Amino acid sequence: PPRGPRRAEYSAVIEENKDILAKFNAMERSLTVKMSDMLRTYNEDIHKLSFERDRAMDDLRRFLELPNPCGIGMRIDSIVRSKVDQEIVRQVRVTELIPGLSADLCGVIKPGDILLQVDGQDTAQYKLEEVKAMIAGPRGSRVVLSMQR
């Protein structure tokens, strides 16, 4: 180290370098923490997207495995009811929903519900097999049901 008047100047440069090094180290730690957080978030996002992709692939696989034509996952039965004026009325009742299929997933249909119409056509005038055929359609097709609880 220099002696004399240059010593103070030398000490000042050393202190300034120490300050710069301390600031650099603080910035490096801060950037390391931020980069670590970004990497963790990135990995979480990748995991989430992979999970969503896998779920979508499972849904597609399940959809493609359905028979064509197919129903909506609702078992029905024909019941006969007598009205007060002794008129015989045939009704179609939901007996069971197949878990994971359309009727179940819509959240509206329940076992015991009465199926009144399929695509606007009154079910009372059709045989049970005809009603089933009205409900069935190509994979992905839509059917409008009117129900009574």
Side-chain angles (χ1 to χ4, degrees), residues 56-91:
M57 290 299 292
D58 287 344
D59 288 347
L60 178 61
R61 196 174 303 110
R62 192 173 74 230
F63 174 76
L64 293 175
E65 288 172 354
L66 291 172
N68 200 13
C70 64
I72 60 172
M74 175 178 77
R75 296 192 200 285
I76 56 176
D77 195 8
S78 181
I79 58 173
V80 177
R81 297 238 169 133
S82 297
K83 285 192 167 185
V84 177
D85 60 1
Q86 301 305 315
E87 178 184 340
I88 303 292
V89 176
R90 182 189 333 229
Q91 293 182 323

Side-chain angles (χ1 to χ4, degrees), residues 5-138:
R6 302 228 359 128
R7 180 176 173 94
E9 195 177 303
Y10 178 74
S11 293
V13 169
I14 289 176
E15 288 304 313
E16 186 179 335
N17 284 341
K18 284 182 181 177
D19 288 344
I20 291 172
L21 185 59
K23 288 178 183 176
F24 174 79
N25 287 336
M27 284 184 8
E28 183 181 35
R29 282 190 301 274
S30 175
L31 286 173
T32 300
V33 168
K34 287 180 182 179
M35 296 276 293
S36 177
D37 288 346
M38 287 173 61
L39 185 58
R40 188 181 67 252
T41 301
Y42 174 77
N43 286 333
E44 288 171 357
D45 289 347
I46 290 293
H47 176 72
K48 188 185 301 181
L49 289 173
S50 296
F51 175 76
E52 289 174 5
R53 180 206 59 217
D54 292 346
R55 195 175 73 211
M57 290 299 292
D58 287 344
D59 288 347
L60 178 61
R61 196 174 303 110
R62 192 173 74 230
F63 174 76
L64 293 175
E65 288 172 354
L66 291 172
N68 200 13
C70 64
I72 60 172
M74 175 178 77
R75 296 192 200 285
I76 56 176
D77 195 8
S78 181
I79 58 173
V80 177
R81 297 238 169 133
S82 297
K83 285 192 167 185
V84 177
D85 60 1
Q86 301 305 315
E87 178 184 340
I88 303 292
V89 176
R90 182 189 333 229
Q91 293 182 323
V92 177
R93 178 184 59 205
V94 176
T95 58
E96 180 184 1
L97 300 179
I98 309 303
L101 295 182
S102 300
D104 176 48
L105 294 175
C106 79
V108 177
I109 302 170
K110 304 286 183 219
D113 287 353
I114 302 298
L115 177 59
L116 301 175
Q117 294 181 337
V118 176
D119 288 330
Q121 295 184 23
D122 186 10
T123 59
Q125 61 188 344
Y126 294 98
K127 295 177 184 173
L128 183 62
E129 293 306 314
E130 293 172 320
V131 174
K132 289 179 180 181
M134 292 165 60
I135 295 171

